[in-house]
Structures are given as structure tokens and as C-alpha cells.
């Protein structure tokens, strides 16, 4: 059995769509966010993690920070070292402090990007797999952050360019299945980046745009169980055929902000 994981999450108590920083967000949607429903979906996710033996810790949500539920964006944590975030959108910048407070209280030092123009949105754009970190750019995290991440962790960083505005974070287009392999949607990447992924992961699971737009690739795998949106039916089938166990968790309410399962989950790797 693969090792149990430690996850950090944040309840969507103050979740809403008040501003638009990706094409999913429509503040004037006639069907606005149902915050209670979002909380219920989030609770089901937490329950699913705990039912599979994983440790889930929570950071307190802050009123006025509606996107704080997307814990993945707060940092990348590897070997007990924390690389904190600097968000692109001014509306999300204050989230960094709230998460930093949690990390400090939990006994971690937090490294922050040195240059004030560097943008880095944590595991949203930084995916550890196969002894390296895959790093997205194009919409949020800037390429200079990729260099800094490599320098900080001493782990090779592979830069990938995202090109589809609906799949604006790397974790909306790709996830790590286990220590070695990934699932991704090739059309979300520039031609060169697609070629890099093909060389690095010849046995990857390739998903369709439809599955990606159902946030199927915004999944969390513990190496065996894959917590995944049930709407990504093609991907769910492929996972089963490869011997993974899909655990369906619905996050339709969070999708109104352009988020899903993985966005809500920051892994603490020690
Ligand atoms: N509304 C948020 C934003 O646009 C969603 C973040 C989703 N997070 C993720 N890890 N992809 O920043």
C-alpha cells in the first residue's frame, strides 16, 4: 500500500465569486455560488480523505478571502521545506499571510519568492513527480519562480507552458498518478511542452479536453486511490483499467470559481 498522506485544507465558509480572475468566474451569474452546498461538497472531500486513512488538517478561513478554500495555491511543501506563494491577483495576495501563520504555528519556516515581481501559486503550478517538479507558466506562476524553486529545493524543475485559458493552472491539466507517472491533457500545453511530457512520461494517461473541463485532472492520487470528479467519465474509466481505484467526489460548486478537488488540497510532504 502507498504511504498515507498529510493534507492541509480550508473550509469554504466565506466562498463566493466576487471578482473574475479566470474564465470560469462570473460574478454576475444568475445562479450564484451556494456557499452551503460548497461546504457540503468540501466536507465530503475531507471525509473521503479520512476514510482512506489520510491526515487532514485545516487552516481557518478568513472573511473577505473567498478563494482561500483553494489551499493548493498557498505553497509547495517538499521534504518539510515550504516555498510560499505570491499571487498574481491582488485580491488573493492576502491569503499568503494567513497560510504563513498556519505554517509557522505548525513549526515550518516559509521561504518567499525573493523578487517582488515573481508570481508563484504553489501546487497550482508546481507538481512534484519522479524526483522532479513539473512547473507551469503562461497564466499565473512566472518562469523566474521555476528557477527559484529548483534552487530552493535542489530538485530538477521542468518548465511547461500552458496555453488554454480555461486550464490556467498546471493542476487543472495534469496530476501525478504515483511517484513515477502522470495523467494529462496534451492540448493544454504548447507544442514543445507537449513533446517534453511525451518524452518524460511515455506511459501517461492521456485525457480529453472534455475530462479536463470537468476538472477530472484536478484530482488527488495517493498512488492507488484517485479522488476525482465523477463528471470526467472517460478519465475515470481509464484509471480503473490501469488498476487505480477512483473515489468520486463532486465539486461542482467550487468549479464556479475555477477550482476542484486538487485546488482544495495542499499536500504536506515531510
Ligand atoms: N478562483 C481561483 C483562482 O482563479 C481558483 C484557484 C484554483 N486553484 C488551483 N489550484 N487550480 O485563482
Amino acid at each position: 500500500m502507498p504511504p498515507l498522506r498529510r493534507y492541509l485544507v480550508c473550509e469554504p465558509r466565506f466562498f463566493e465569486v466576487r471578482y473574475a480572475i479566470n474564465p470560469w468566474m462570473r460574478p454576475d451569474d444568475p445562479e450564484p455560488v451556494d456557499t452551503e452546498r460548497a461546504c457540503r461538497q468540501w466536507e465530503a472531500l475531507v471525509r473521503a480523505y479520512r476514510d482512506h486513512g489520510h491526515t487532514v488538517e485545516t487552516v481557518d478561513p478568513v472573511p473577505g478571502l473567498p478563494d482561500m478554500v483553494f489551499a493548493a495555491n498557498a505553497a509547495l511543501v517538499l521534504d518539510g521545506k515550504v516555498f510560499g506563494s505570491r499571487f498574481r491577483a491582488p485580491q488573493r495576495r492576502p491569503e499568503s499571510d494567513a497560510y504563513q501563520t498556519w505554517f509557522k504555528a505548525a513549526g515550518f519556516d516559509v521561504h518567499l519568492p525573493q523578487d517582488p515581481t515573481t508570481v508563484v501559486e504553489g501546487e497550482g503550478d508546481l507538481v512534484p513527480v519522479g524526483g522532479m517538479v513539473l512547473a507551469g507558466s503562461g497564466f499565473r506562476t512566472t518562469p523566474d519562480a521555476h528557477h527559484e524553486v529548483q534552487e530552493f529545493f535542489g530538485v530538477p524543475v521542468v518548465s511547461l507552458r500552458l496555453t488554454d485559458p480555461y486550464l490556467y493552472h498546471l493542476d487543472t491539466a495534469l496530476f501525478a498518478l504515483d511517484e513515477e507517472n502522470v495523467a494529462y491533457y496534451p492540448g493544454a500545453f504548447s507544442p514543445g511542452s507537449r513533446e517534453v511530457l511525451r518524452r518524460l512520461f511515455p506511459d501517461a494517461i492521456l485525457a480529453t479536453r472534455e475530462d479536463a473541463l470537468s476538472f477530472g485532472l484536478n484530482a488527488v492520487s495517493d498512488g492507488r486511490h484517485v479522488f476525482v470528479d465523477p463528471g470526467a467519465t472517460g478519465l475515470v474509466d481509464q484509471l480503473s483499467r490501469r488498476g487505480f481505484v477512483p473515489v468520486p467526489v463532486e465539486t461542482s460548486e467550487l468549479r464556479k470559481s475555477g477550482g476542484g478537488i486538487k485546488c482544495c488540497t495542499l499536500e504536506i510532504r515531510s
Side-chain angles (χ1 to χ4, degrees), residues 3 12 20 27 56 86 104 120 132 154 177 191 194:
V56 181
R86 182 177 299 111
K104 287 193 177 144
V120 56
M132 56 196 154
L177 289 162
R194 230 177 281 161

Side-chain angles (χ1 to χ4, degrees), residues 160-255:
L160 301 167
R161 193 141 56 79
L162 295 161
T163 54
D164 183 333
Y166 282 89
L167 304 169
Y168 57 93
H169 270 140
L170 181 59
D171 74 356
T172 62
L174 174 150
F175 72 98
L177 289 162
D178 51 29
E179 293 307 319
E180 270 106 55
N181 205 5
V182 298
Y184 67 100
Y185 163 56
F189 297 90
S190 68
S193 298
R194 230 177 281 161
E195 188 62 15
V196 168
L197 286 169
R198 198 184 59 77
R199 285 172 198 270
L200 286 175
F201 306 104
D203 298 325
I205 290 183
L206 301 183
T208 60
R209 183 160 196 263
E210 214 182 355
D211 284 342
L213 293 181
S214 299
F215 272 72
L217 293 166
N218 197 248
V220 169
S221 174
D222 65 13
R224 176 164 168 74
H225 311 99
V226 181
F227 303 87
V228 60
D229 196 290
T233 49
L235 175 65
V236 169
D237 273 3
Q238 290 202 72
L239 288 167
S240 306
R241 266 185 272 124
R242 295 274 196 118
F244 292 94
V245 182
V247 179
V249 183
E250 178 73 62
T251 53
S252 52
E253 216 46 45
L254 296 152
R255 196 170 317 150

Side-chain angles (χ1 to χ4, degrees), residues 32-269:
V33 164
D34 179 339
T35 306
E36 263 177 33
R37 186 153 181 262
C39 285
R40 285 197 302 273
Q41 292 181 341
W42 177 87
E43 280 156 19
L45 175 63
V46 172
R47 218 175 309 122
Y49 288 147
R50 290 191 172 137
D51 285 349
H52 288 82
H54 303 300
T55 300
V56 181
E57 287 169 75
T58 56
V59 57
D60 283 335
V62 175
L65 297 179
D67 276 338
M68 209 181 146
V69 56
F70 301 118
N73 296 135
L76 171 65
V77 188
L78 270 185
D79 295 330
K81 289 174 72 182
V82 182
F83 194 109
S85 291
R86 182 177 299 111
F87 287 87
R88 180 170 293 272
Q91 295 95 328
R92 293 199 66 185
R93 271 188 212 139
E95 293 178 34
S96 300
D97 277 351
Y99 278 94
Q100 222 175 298
T101 306
W102 185 91
F103 276 114
K104 287 193 177 144
F108 295 93
D109 288 330
V110 178
H111 172 89
L112 288 174
Q114 297 294 294
D115 184 325
T117 64
T118 299
V119 172
V120 56
E121 299 200 351
E123 283 195 311
D125 277 321
L126 303 167
V127 177
V129 61
M132 56 196 154
V133 173
L134 304 179
S137 71
F139 297 100
R140 301 291 180 87
T141 299
T142 48
D144 56 337
H146 299 179
H147 300 177
E148 198 172 332
V149 166
Q150 174 163 293
E151 209 50 45
F152 179 70
F153 292 110
V155 166
V157 170
V158 175
S159 288
L160 301 167
R161 193 141 56 79
L162 295 161
T163 54
D164 183 333
Y166 282 89
L167 304 169
Y168 57 93
H169 270 140
L170 181 59
D171 74 356
T172 62
L174 174 150
F175 72 98
L177 289 162
D178 51 29
E179 293 307 319
E180 270 106 55
N181 205 5
V182 298
Y184 67 100
Y185 163 56
F189 297 90
S190 68
S193 298
R194 230 177 281 161
E195 188 62 15
V196 168
L197 286 169
R198 198 184 59 77
R199 285 172 198 270
L200 286 175
F201 306 104
D203 298 325
I205 290 183
L206 301 183
T208 60
R209 183 160 196 263
E210 214 182 355
D211 284 342
L213 293 181
S214 299
F215 272 72
L217 293 166
N218 197 248
V220 169
S221 174
D222 65 13
R224 176 164 168 74
H225 311 99
V226 181
F227 303 87
V228 60
D229 196 290
T233 49
L235 175 65
V236 169
D237 273 3
Q238 290 202 72
L239 288 167
S240 306
R241 266 185 272 124
R242 295 274 196 118
F244 292 94
V245 182
V247 179
V249 183
E250 178 73 62
T251 53
S252 52
E253 216 46 45
L254 296 152
R255 196 170 317 150
K256 294 180 177 170
S257 188
I261 292 172
K262 172 62 213 171
C263 302
C264 294
T265 313
L266 177 62
E267 186 171 348
I268 315 277
R269 302 177 186 80

